[in-house]
Each structure stands twice: as structure tokens, then as C-alpha cells.
Amino acid sequence: MAQVGFRVLLPDAMNHGRRKQAISAIPSLTFWQSIQSNLFEFGAIIQHFKRLGLVLDDRIGIGGTSMGGFTSSALLTHHPEIKVASCMMGSPTPIQYRERLIEHASRLSNRFVPDDLRDLTAWVDRYDLSTQVDSLAGSPFFIWHGERDWRVPYDQTVGFVKDNSHLDNIIFVHEDEDHLVRTKTMDMMTTFFLGHL
């Protein structure tokens, strides 16, 4: 994206890169903490670059892969300043994803899941794009998902797309891949941003 002229920011999410910490033994705790931290930090990042005069004509786009896709989808529920977004093998349906995690962990006797996980992650309910699709408000939204994704369920993304097939601003691309984004897929996303931002 930078090669075609976009100013691209790639901040390390909490628990990633230079901010890496030990992953919690409690299933999905680190995952939800990282996403929530991304949501907290987004406004500060945008404000910082606006103060520096580095946001051209308020044109803000966001994109993310896997956990970053969850983040970009969630940000759309609260940030109308986002003009275009992408979700690469993430999910716009985090409530469904949380329910799947609870169900999966309950079948494994060696996995602890707090009985009050839904309460502990209650913020997820307010950031689920599938329950607030009106917040897209016509913003172009590119979704890519591998059909054989073993980590983030492809069927949840397909369900979101089908439920919102009346919206012409959602572009859905799926390929015979697992939980992996290739360079050609990133090129597709770049072309999408070029056409809409």
C-alpha cells in the first residue's frame, strides 16, 4: 500500500511484536485483551497524526488480518470517520466467535473458561458489526476469507455476507486457502483501497 502512495501505519498490537508478552493460559484472554487495546488506541493514533497534519482530507482507511480483521470490523461500529475498511480472515461477528470458543473449550476437559466469560467480554456485544451493520453507512468494506480457515470460521463470515447481501458496499472474496493471506490477496486489498479512498 505504501508503494502506491498511501501513508501506512502498522502499530504493534498489544501482545505482538515489541509489545509481546507471555500468552495467558486461559483460552482467548490474550486475544480479547489485544483487540480491546486496539480499540482503545485507535482514537489516540488518529488524533496524533491529525495534529501533525498527516491525514489528507480526513481520508482514513483501516485494514487488518486475523485479529486485525476483528479489530477493523469492530472499529466500524463506532468510528464514522473511517472511509474504507478491510477484514482479512478476521470476523465481523465476534459474538458468534466468542460463542464458538466457549462451546469448543467446554468440550475439552483440560481447558478452563470462566463461567462469566460473556460478562467479562461484554464490550464485544457493542462492537459486533453484524448487530450494527447500519454503522457501515455506505463505507466500502472489503472482506477476504479462506474457505479452509481452521482458526476463524469461514462460515461465520459467509453468514454475515449473506445476511447483508442487500448492501452493495460489501465486497466479499473467498478462495481455497486456510488461515493464510498471500501477497496477491494483499494486492487485491490495495486495489480496493485505491478505488475507494
Side-chain angles (χ1 to χ4, degrees), residues 20-35:
K20 191 161 184 73
Q21 300 174 31
I23 294 174
S24 171
I26 299 172
S28 80
L29 175 59
T30 304
F31 173 80
W32 294 118
Q33 284 179 332
S34 298
I35 293 172

Side-chain angles (χ1 to χ4, degrees), residues 125-191:
D125 300 3
R126 292 181 296 282
Y127 284 87
D128 188 307
L129 186 58
S130 70
T131 66
Q132 302 175 61
V133 77
D134 290 347
S135 63
L136 274 174
S139 296
F141 187 36
F142 180 82
I143 302 172
W144 181 93
H145 215 121
E147 297 162 359
R148 295 181 285 113
D149 193 328
W150 50 271
R151 181 162 292 192
V152 180
Y154 168 72
D155 63 323
Q156 291 178 6
T157 300
V158 170
F160 173 83
V161 171
K162 285 183 178 175
D163 289 347
N164 297 289
S165 60
H166 60 286
L167 299 176
D168 61 2
N169 56 314
I170 297 175
I171 304 302
F172 179 48
V173 176
H174 53 98
E175 297 179 283
D176 183 24
E177 289 287 356
D178 54 24
H179 197 70
L180 173 72
V181 173
R182 297 187 185 277
T183 303
K184 69 181 182 76
T185 308
M186 296 305 290
D187 291 343
M188 255 190 278
M189 184 194 73
T190 299
T191 300

Side-chain angles (χ1 to χ4, degrees), residues 53-130:
L54 297 175
V55 178
L56 180 64
D57 301 327
D58 286 328
R59 295 188 310 178
I60 298 169
I62 58 167
T65 300
S66 195
M67 187 183 298
F70 279 85
T71 299
S72 60
S73 298
L75 285 168
L76 286 169
T77 66
H78 285 70
H79 292 277
E81 69 271 25
I82 296 169
K83 306 294 190 255
V84 62
S86 70
C87 173
M88 314 287 276
M89 69 182 187
S91 178
T93 61
I95 293 172
Q96 286 182 36
Y97 186 75
R98 179 182 59 196
E99 293 307 309
R100 178 183 175 268
L101 290 175
I102 291 169
E103 189 273 328
H104 180 71
S106 70
R107 287 187 280 124
L108 302 172
S109 59
N110 63 340
R111 292 290 186 110
F112 169 77
V113 173
D115 292 335
D116 57 348
L117 181 64
R118 288 179 191 89
D119 291 332
L120 292 168
T121 58
W123 61 269
V124 171
D125 300 3
R126 292 181 296 282
Y127 284 87
D128 188 307
L129 186 58
S130 70

